[in-house]
Amino acid sequence: MLISLLFLLIATIFLELGNGLLGVLVPIQGELGGFSVVAIGSLGTLYYFGFVVGCMFLPRIIRRFGHIRSFAAFAAIASSAALIHALAIAPLPWLVLRAIVGLCLAGLLIVVESWLNNQATPQTRGHVFGLYMAATWFGIVGGQLLFAVPSLETFQLFAVVAIAISLSLVPVTLTTGAVPTIPQVTSINLVGLYRLAPVGLVGCLAVGLANGAFWTFAPLFAQAWSGTSLGVSLFMSAAVIGGALSQWPIGRFSDHVDRRWVIAAVCLASAAAALSLLLEIGDSNLIFLGLTALFGAFALSLYPLCVAHVNDRADPEASVEVSSRLLMVFGFGAIVGPFLASFLIAALGITSLLGFIASIHVALALYTLGRIKLAEPVPEPERTVFTPSPPLAHGTQAVVELQQSAEDDDYVAHPEQHTSGHEH
């Protein structure tokens, strides 16, 4: 079990290494290739569209062809798409390629996470996914730092992405253990979810708008600030590391107070940090990177806070289904956010990205404060425990947990069918 877990974590690091590098590389090279701001925003929109579609429909492919075959297919397509970026530098093919990469990444992560769920017991699941979260953060930061390697040219950087994704195949194909099945994902009842916890639902939508725009345009903002590939890597890494270090203390604090107050405070703090970055452009690099880490600490904590708030009010037995619905709401925001931000940036310049994000967070804070007056908080004994989220809010864990809960139910009904074995 330990060797299998290690192999899956290594695969995760390679996947996120390639995805982290590609996320920085695409907007920078798009700008150098003469793409319009709206075209670059559309690249982010198509990436998140592909990812959400993948979370919805790729479980069917995995059920039919198996985990290893599906992973191999998704990895081959994703690595090929990364290389094609360097061969066809034009907006239209890149729009298609970004959707393909988003689609395949969703499938790859579903395979890895479902396998991790299968390897873990109820007693070790928290520890296993804590290690998975660490591997995710480590891979993304590593990929962003690779962008700063001075000896790598454009084609070589895209080749590194393809190599990293391809190498993730090696540990997965060598992984042993029982392979889980994946059931259908439940339908989405947004009206009922809004009535249950309006702050959580609106919050996930708002965070999708802001984070989708940030991950799409932040490399261009960093490029304008520093003018160097090292500056871009440090800026992106500072935001991710800030989010990695802050989620646990902020989340644990929110477990003991009305979580809506924490959401409102974090929104305002994120907006303040974003606007402070504008005042520090051209000044001390160290202060600028510190403010970037502070911004990431607050901005990247909002999504798991909103999910936890909804789960506070939801039926505990429906928490997994609720999480899957919130993923779709976040995904819709992430699809729309880069496209909307592109028009503002085209008119006012790349620094308006921070104003766009800050305005969304302030609006969410005001909405949350208004809702606090209309509804009583959830008593502390009834609150769920905060769970951190990956920096890009992959959200495939909601799909995986749906699969796991269905397996548990099936085991009770048909225990004789659940013998250990390997995928052939």
Side-chain angles (χ1 to χ4, degrees):
M1 187 269 187
L2 291 178
I3 295 178
S4 179
L5 173 61
L6 177 62
F7 282 1
L8 291 170
L9 294 177
I10 292 172
T12 299
I13 292 174
F14 279 124
L15 281 178
E16 298 296 0
L17 194 74
N19 189 46
L21 176 56
L22 190 61
V24 176
L25 190 57
V26 164
I28 296 294
Q29 293 302 320
E31 184 181 52
L32 294 176
F35 293 15
S36 69
V37 174
V38 174
I40 293 174
S42 299
L43 294 175
T45 292
L46 266 294
Y47 169 80
Y48 285 106
F49 175 79
F51 192 91
V52 171
V53 170
C55 288
M56 294 173 65
F57 297 108
L58 288 186
R60 302 176 184 176
I61 301 296
I62 299 171
R63 279 197 306 273
R64 179 171 181 179
F65 296 102
H67 280 56
I68 291 179
R69 291 188 180 93
S70 298
F71 190 95
F74 300 148
I77 296 171
S79 61
S80 299
L83 283 176
I84 296 173
H85 277 84
L87 301 176
I89 303 178
L92 184 57
W94 275 33
L95 290 171
V96 177
L97 291 171
R98 287 305 283 160
I100 291 173
V101 170
L103 183 84
C104 290
L105 185 67
L108 291 166
L109 292 175
I110 289 172
V111 169
V112 171
E113 292 181 10
S114 62
W115 222 321
L116 286 173
N117 243 326
N118 184 70
Q119 295 288 333
T121 65
Q123 293 75 24
T124 63
R125 184 161 289 120
H127 180 65
V128 166
F129 277 93
L131 292 174
Y132 170 71
M133 198 74 63
T136 299
W137 293 97
F138 180 80
I140 289 177
V141 171
Q144 292 169 342
L145 291 176
L146 278 176
F147 183 72
V149 177
S151 60
L152 295 178
E153 298 179 356
T154 300
F155 181 82
Q156 292 172 322
L157 286 169
F158 282 115
V160 169
V161 174
I163 291 169
I165 296 174
S166 298
L167 285 176
S168 69
L169 270 167
V170 177
V172 168
T173 54
L174 296 178
T175 301
T176 60
V179 180
T181 57
I182 299 180
Q184 298 289 340
V185 180
T186 58
S187 60
I188 301 174
N189 181 4
L190 296 181
V191 175
L193 194 58
Y194 179 80
R195 291 173 179 171
L196 178 72
V199 169
L201 182 67
V202 173
C204 286
L205 177 63
V207 174
L209 288 168
N211 286 13
F214 177 77
W215 293 118
T216 299
F217 288 108
L220 298 185
F221 175 83
Q223 180 77 10
W225 160 65
S226 68
T228 66
S229 58
L230 177 60
V232 173
S233 293
L234 292 177
F235 176 87
M236 299 299 295
S237 297
V240 172
I241 292 172
L245 296 178
S246 69
Q247 284 195 31
W248 183 256
I250 291 176
R252 291 300 294 165
F253 174 74
S254 74
D255 288 342
H256 303 290
V257 298
D258 185 349
R259 221 180 297 265
R260 294 172 299 176
W261 283 109
V262 180
I263 291 173
V266 168
C267 281
L268 294 176
S270 174
L275 296 178
S276 297
L277 282 171
L278 292 177
L279 301 177
E280 285 296 325
I281 292 180
D283 294 333
S284 169
N285 290 346
L286 186 60
I287 295 176
F288 188 82
L289 290 175
L291 287 172
T292 301
L294 195 63
F295 167 77
F298 295 119
L300 299 183
S301 298
L302 278 172
Y303 178 75
L305 282 172
C306 292
V307 172
H309 170 64
V310 177
N311 284 327
D312 287 343
R313 298 177 179 272
D315 182 348
E317 295 183 359
S319 62
V320 173
E321 296 178 358
V322 167
S323 296
S324 70
R325 294 165 188 167
L326 293 178
L327 164 65
M328 300 306 168
V329 173
F330 171 89
F332 178 77
I335 290 169
V336 176
F339 189 68
L340 292 180
S342 67
F343 290 98
L344 183 65
I345 294 170
L348 302 178
I350 189 60
T351 55
S352 62
L353 169 67
L354 295 179
F356 176 81
I357 294 172
S359 63
I360 292 174
H361 287 168
V362 169
L364 177 57
L366 294 176
Y367 177 79
T368 302
L369 292 172
R371 292 298 311 179
I372 289 174
K373 298 179 180 180
L374 299 177
E376 293 295 322
V378 176
E380 183 174 343
E382 299 178 12
R383 295 179 194 138
T384 59
V385 177
F386 175 88
T387 302
S389 169
L392 304 184
H394 291 135
T396 58
Q397 183 59 21
V399 179
V400 173
E401 289 177 347
L402 278 172
Q403 159 250 311
Q404 183 66 30
S405 63
E407 284 180 354
D408 293 342
D409 293 341
D410 188 46
Y411 182 87
V412 173
H414 306 286
E416 72 281 355
Q417 298 178 7
H418 291 258
T419 57
S420 61
H422 304 296
E423 177 170 339
H424 297 288

